[in-house]
Amino acid sequence: MNLGNIGFSDVILWVLEALLTFAVSTFIFDSVHWMLHRWTKSRFRVLRVFASWHHVHHRFLDGKMQVHTDLAALNFWAHLVPEFLTSAAGTAVFYLFFHWIPVTAVMALHVWNFGMNIYTEGMDGNHMSMDRVSARQNIVKVNAAYHAMHHITPENYYSSYLNLFDLLFGRSTTIRHRRFLITGASGAFGSAIAARIEALGGVVETAKHGADFAPGDVERIRPRLEKADVLVLAHGAKGPAAWDANYVTFTELSDLFIAIGRDRLVPPEIWAVGSEAELHGDLGQPELKEYAASKRAFARRAVGYYRSADVLYRHIVPSAFTSAMGPGPMSADTAAGIALFFIRRGFRYVPVTLTTLALWNYVRFVRQRPAAQGSGAPVAIDSGAGR
């Protein structure tokens, strides 16, 4: 092609080709990254050697997010050089399919990144010592907080630049060996998600209203919260008990858990079960008035958690499911399975739906102004069956 005759359509095509080249080349790199971890226990010695080279990188930036500068030279030869060669090879393949200009642009980007890694001795923006990992993890573009989680829990968080690999294979959350404290575990959804978490290797404890916590009285559960990595709020009620069940105890437990985890390396994580009633209200049904009001009030409070760097907050919004509160278009186990599908892919707003309501509610949820801490109505009592 004569470069003097480049048209607008050519430029658009080249941009698309460059984006596809970058996305696929990084996906190839992330796939190799995953294999390096798998090869640690391979029966083939050469594969174990490759894996040991990558292990140097995890010693250079260890699981406590501390950089060991004495390993910088070894990290360069064992990790940075193979990393660059893998990225370059994955990019060079596209010279067979695309115009040389967009492919060369992507190659230049990899060369630039490699040059910056040489300049910083491996301590780029994603490889710095940290005393505290931010909860603000980007679901599309890998940021420092996201990549830090790979060094802390190396069996997940493999994506390097674009989060394609982890989104596809469900590697954006660690469940195995983590400690989950689940409220409302006697309810349909709570029991279903507890069973699925255990099946995935999570360690589950349950907490019940009255026995373990009550409105205005959550301090007694502090010792169990101190041991938990994830708090799952799945209890709830309709009718007169709704406010205390769906708002008061949700906020009190959340605030206490966040305060407990403020000095942890990894911020605490909360999964809270919301409702489509946050969007559609009580639908003119008097029996749903208190329920809808309490769910809407907590959603306004939850936006603050959702935006916070001190807690990794996930808002689960299911359609109606079959439970003691009534029939629904899906089983509680199906709802729990859909929720975990999205959670394992890093979603923080988790729509569990056969309709569009939970999806529409996302717009309303993220755009609303968070409620101030301590706002709300007076406290009373709760019921344990979550919906």
Side-chain angles (χ1 to χ4, degrees):
M1 178 186 291
N2 186 342
L3 295 182
N5 297 323
I6 297 172
F8 180 72
S9 60
D10 295 319
V11 174
I12 295 299
L13 179 61
W14 290 354
V15 169
L16 293 176
E17 289 180 349
L19 290 174
L20 183 60
T21 300
F22 181 75
V24 175
S25 65
T26 56
F27 183 84
I28 291 170
F29 172 81
D30 295 339
S31 300
V32 172
H33 184 193
W34 172 78
M35 287 189 287
L36 287 170
H37 283 263
R38 301 282 292 180
W39 289 343
T40 301
K41 298 180 180 179
S42 173
R43 59 193 180 94
F44 299 107
R45 184 175 181 276
V46 65
L47 298 183
R48 293 198 305 272
V49 170
F50 290 151
S52 69
W53 292 354
H54 182 66
H55 183 62
V56 170
H57 181 60
H58 283 272
R59 289 164 51 205
F60 171 70
L61 179 59
D62 64 25
K64 295 181 179 179
M65 292 308 296
Q66 297 303 305
V67 171
H68 297 269
T69 54
D70 57 307
L71 294 173
L74 188 57
N75 180 65
F76 174 79
W77 292 109
H79 172 70
L80 294 180
V81 171
E83 176 184 58
F84 168 69
L85 294 176
T86 302
S87 299
T91 301
V93 170
F94 284 89
Y95 281 115
L96 300 173
F97 308 102
F98 294 157
H99 194 278
W100 67 270
I101 289 180
V103 179
T104 302
V106 175
M107 187 70 78
L109 179 61
H110 289 309
V111 172
W112 171 264
N113 286 335
F114 183 55
M116 290 305 297
N117 280 328
I118 295 174
Y119 177 74
T120 62
E121 297 183 319
M123 289 175 283
D124 60 20
N126 284 353
H127 298 93
M128 299 289 288
S129 294
M130 294 184 188
D131 296 322
R132 172 78 165 175
V133 177
S134 172
R136 293 177 181 146
Q137 299 173 9
N138 195 308
I139 196 173
V140 177
K141 182 182 180 298
V142 172
N143 60 11
Y146 187 95
H147 187 69
M149 293 305 300
H150 174 68
H151 284 264
I152 295 167
T153 55
E155 68 271 23
N156 287 302
Y157 303 95
Y158 291 105
S159 293
S160 53
Y161 296 100
L162 296 177
N163 189 15
L164 298 178
F165 185 91
D166 294 337
L167 276 173
L168 182 60
F169 295 108
R171 293 287 186 166
S172 292
T173 301
T174 298
I175 292 179
R176 192 165 67 96
H177 299 323
R178 295 183 81 197
R179 297 160 296 183
F180 291 78
L181 181 60
I182 303 179
T183 68
S186 60
F189 184 85
S191 61
I193 203 163
R196 284 182 172 268
I197 288 170
E198 286 184 323
L200 291 169
V203 180
V204 171
E205 281 195 63
T206 62
K208 189 176 181 181
H209 175 266
D212 300 298
F213 64 90
D217 182 19
V218 294
E219 272 292 328
R220 53 186 153 129
I221 203 174
R222 175 185 283 272
R224 299 177 68 188
L225 288 173
E226 289 173 346
K227 297 177 182 177
D229 299 306
V230 184
L231 172 63
V232 183
L233 298 170
H235 65 286
K238 293 182 180 178
W243 184 261
D244 290 333
N246 307 331
Y247 178 79
V248 175
T249 53
F250 266 48
T251 56
E252 289 182 341
L253 288 169
S254 297
D255 291 343
L256 177 58
F257 191 46
I258 293 168
I260 288 171
R262 204 168 294 279
D263 296 325
R264 295 179 181 178
L265 173 63
V266 178
E269 187 168 335
I270 297 174
W271 306 357
V273 180
S275 170
E276 290 179 343
E278 296 165 17
L279 178 66
H280 61 56
D282 58 25
L283 296 174
Q285 302 176 49
E287 68 274 14
L288 291 179
K289 184 176 180 181
E290 293 89 348
Y291 174 80
S294 62
K295 285 295 186 181
R296 284 185 162 186
F298 180 72
R300 287 193 297 272
R301 184 67 169 274
V303 173
Y305 304 144
Y306 184 85
R307 297 173 183 169
S308 174
D310 292 323
V311 58
L312 183 57
Y313 176 81
R314 305 190 194 277
H315 196 68
I316 303 172
V317 183
S319 298
F321 53 84
T322 300
S323 72
M325 293 184 184
M330 68 173 74
S331 69
D333 182 64
T334 298
I338 295 172
L340 281 168
F341 175 87
F342 286 111
I343 287 171
R344 294 177 71 188
R345 283 154 181 82
F347 282 67
R348 293 189 298 124
Y349 180 90
V350 184
V352 183
T353 182
L354 294 177
T355 69
T356 59
L357 284 177
L359 296 173
W360 279 113
N361 188 51
Y362 170 73
V363 178
R364 181 181 184 277
F365 178 80
V366 296
R367 294 188 63 178
Q368 64 187 333
R369 180 177 299 175
Q373 185 171 349
S375 63
V379 241
I381 187 167
D382 150 16
S383 142
R387 180 93 182 257

